[in-house]
Amino acid sequence: MIKLNKLYEYPTSTRALYNGERLYDIGEDKLPSVTTILSATQSEEKRTSLAAWANRVGQDQATRIKDSAANRGTVMHHILEGWIKDQPHVDLTEVGQQAETMAYQIWDNALKPKLHEYWGLEVTLYYPELYAGATDVVGVYDNAESIVDFKQSNKPKRREWIEDYKLQLAAYALAHNEVYGTNINKGVNLICTKDNLYQEFIFEGEEFRQAKFEWLRKVDQYYNQKERK
């Protein structure tokens, strides 16, 4: 059983679509999600690449692939959260059984040996007046205060392919540091493919500091684009 150290009171929030954008209701504020900002500020190269893939496999097949991955990832998250809290989540569907084998890879390789304590799960974080989002775990991972996110993948990742994952972690760390006065300088992505290949990507030091600057540049770009519309 992993220790819960409830150092902070995290806000409750609701998520909804407003004018096609995913926003968080935080008190009186409606803040764009981290993923909304990343999507709105995508490079033209990335947009073209994603469109080319969808055209290559067919729009219907592309939708099926994305929906299947999303469902599998959601179940895997529920299973891992249940294990961390010692409240196992059982899903006997075909998707659930696959997600459980994937969850075991992340549990055995990362969470069980390295997550020393957690402060919150599925934590809503926000940077006042700018953005909000939810991260899977905030706590102490491998002896450092960290933001931790779980990801499922259809195929193995290379570090250079997961820039958005790094920026998500940076966004959450900045928000936590701003609101709670912490100094989180480590982000962790724990990934398992549908074929049960486990990968761990850690971002810290100068790389993570630069990611925070790049994230703030994205936030600035997002709001400038909004003003021009």
Side-chain angles (χ1 to χ4, degrees):
M1 191 172 175
I2 298 170
K3 176 185 175 183
L4 168 62
N5 191 357
K6 200 170 182 181
L7 295 176
Y8 308 102
E9 287 293 330
Y10 295 113
T12 57
S13 69
T14 57
R15 288 174 276 190
L17 288 175
Y18 295 91
N19 298 321
E21 289 192 329
R22 185 182 180 188
L23 303 182
Y24 280 74
D25 286 320
I26 307 286
E28 298 297 316
D29 294 326
K30 288 181 171 57
L31 300 175
S33 71
V34 170
T35 52
T36 290
I37 293 175
L38 286 172
S39 178
T41 58
Q42 267 183 356
S43 68
E44 193 57 41
E45 179 184 9
K46 186 169 183 178
R47 292 182 195 276
T48 301
S49 176
L50 290 171
W53 169 77
N55 288 331
R56 187 167 63 251
V57 302
Q59 295 295 333
D60 290 345
Q61 178 64 2
T63 298
R64 282 193 291 271
I65 291 171
K66 288 187 285 188
D67 288 348
S68 176
N71 291 338
R72 189 166 55 240
T74 296
V75 177
M76 187 186 79
H77 278 69
H78 286 326
I79 291 170
L80 287 169
E81 185 176 328
W83 289 347
I84 291 171
K85 295 190 296 186
D86 199 25
Q87 298 172 6
H89 172 80
V90 178
D91 187 328
L92 298 179
T93 66
E94 184 178 346
V95 170
Q97 292 178 60
Q98 184 181 29
E100 184 173 24
T101 63
M102 295 165 65
Y104 269 120
Q105 294 297 322
I106 291 175
W107 178 259
D108 288 341
N109 286 288
L111 298 179
K112 186 177 179 181
K114 297 180 183 179
L115 184 62
H116 306 302
E117 67 178 46
Y118 69 98
W119 306 341
L121 302 176
E122 193 60 27
V123 175
T124 296
L125 296 171
Y126 69 100
Y127 198 107
E129 300 183 0
L130 289 182
Y131 63 85
T135 190
D136 295 323
V137 183
V138 184
V140 179
Y141 183 87
D142 203 14
N143 298 309
E145 297 179 355
S146 305
I147 301 290
V148 182
D149 263 357
F150 315 136
K151 302 289 186 183
Q152 80 83 44
S153 180
N154 289 329
K155 61 181 181 180
K157 298 293 189 185
R158 294 181 182 173
R159 198 175 187 89
E160 60 267 27
W161 294 350
I162 59 170
E163 186 70 14
D164 279 2
Y165 292 177
K166 177 169 66 175
L167 293 181
Q168 281 182 307
L169 294 168
Y172 301 143
L174 275 169
H176 201 285
N177 292 344
E178 175 67 16
V179 173
Y180 301 103
T182 50
N183 188 32
I184 296 174
N185 289 307
K186 183 174 183 176
V188 182
N189 277 135
L190 305 175
I191 302 174
C192 188
T193 71
K194 64 181 181 179
D195 297 320
N196 295 322
L197 174 68
Y198 165 75
Q199 294 178 286
E200 177 188 75
F201 292 94
I202 292 179
F203 307 101
E204 56 190 339
E206 182 62 19
E207 181 183 19
F208 202 47
R209 190 174 74 88
Q210 289 299 323
K212 291 175 181 177
F213 286 129
E214 175 61 19
W215 166 251
L216 291 176
R217 189 189 69 78
K218 292 266 188 186
V219 173
D220 187 55
Q221 180 185 347
Y222 170 81
Y223 281 104
N224 285 335
Q225 289 173 185
K226 294 279 284 185
E227 287 180 3
R228 291 196 295 267
K229 288 183 179 179

